Amino acid sequence: MRRRQGRAALAPLVLAALTAATACAPLLRDLGPLPPRFTGPPLSADAVVSEMTSVLAAEGITVEREPSDMLGRCTERLSGRHAPQTVDAALKAALARARSEHGWQDGPDTGGESLTLTKGNWTVVAGSDGEPAQGLQAPVVLSLTCLDGGDGSSAPAAPTGPAFTPAPASS
């Protein structure tokens, strides 16, 4: 009994939603394809990692490339350590060098203490992680994310195999 009342109450809501959707349809119009999300040729992960590693090394920050294990996304991560007294200045100088020598642009403001750069199909978010314990060097982390169009050298290939086909429903 309750099931019928629930369905009966749902029918007018569905009808109202369909009426509203069709009334708004003339307001929607095709504006054509979206502009590309980046300009210029797509950059490979190796090229981006090499540029970032070299600008950081020029400022005395040594980083290592961590393995990328996100399936279906091209991401990279560089991490290292630097003297806590100069880590912020060195990181800012390295990113200024990336802008002036390699053509990187300021990225979107993330609102935190991290710095963001973009170039081609890549975005780099750089920052130092808080205050280290007494006597330890400050951690430095760069997260590199590819929008699309990369060569896929950083993203593992999707597994290949037979496509999943659902079994027919039995009656």
Side-chain angles (χ1 to χ4, degrees):
M1 179 87 159
R2 285 188 175 213
R3 182 177 272 176
R4 286 187 187 179
Q5 288 175 347
R7 287 183 186 167
L10 187 60
L13 292 175
V14 170
L15 185 58
L18 288 173
T19 304
T22 55
C24 294
L27 298 176
L28 301 174
R29 60 185 176 159
D30 186 8
L31 299 176
L34 291 172
R37 296 196 302 174
F38 62 90
T39 58
L43 302 171
S44 71
D46 292 334
V48 172
V49 167
S50 176
E51 279 185 12
M52 285 295 122
T53 302
S54 70
V55 297
L56 291 166
E59 298 301 327
I61 301 173
T62 303
V63 293
E64 292 183 11
R65 185 178 191 172
E66 294 181 8
S68 178
D69 59 355
M70 290 187 70
L71 191 61
R73 284 201 58 149
C74 47
T75 60
E76 295 290 334
R77 184 175 161 109
L78 303 175
S79 63
R81 298 198 169 271
H82 191 70
Q85 304 84 346
T86 59
V87 68
D88 290 329
L91 193 54
K92 287 178 183 176
L95 296 185
R97 182 181 299 269
R99 286 190 294 272
S100 66
E101 294 179 9
H102 297 280
W104 286 84
Q105 303 293 317
D106 286 327
D109 183 12
T110 58
E113 293 193 23
S114 61
L115 305 167
T116 309
L117 295 177
T118 61
K119 180 178 178 183
N121 55 326
W122 287 88
T123 299
V124 175
V125 178
S128 58
D129 290 340
E131 293 292 320
Q134 184 68 25
L136 295 178
Q137 290 190 324
V140 176
V141 177
L142 273 74
S143 296
L144 300 89
T145 305
C146 173
L147 292 174
D148 56 11
D151 67 354
S153 65
S154 66
T160 58
F164 174 71
T165 309
S170 58
S171 301

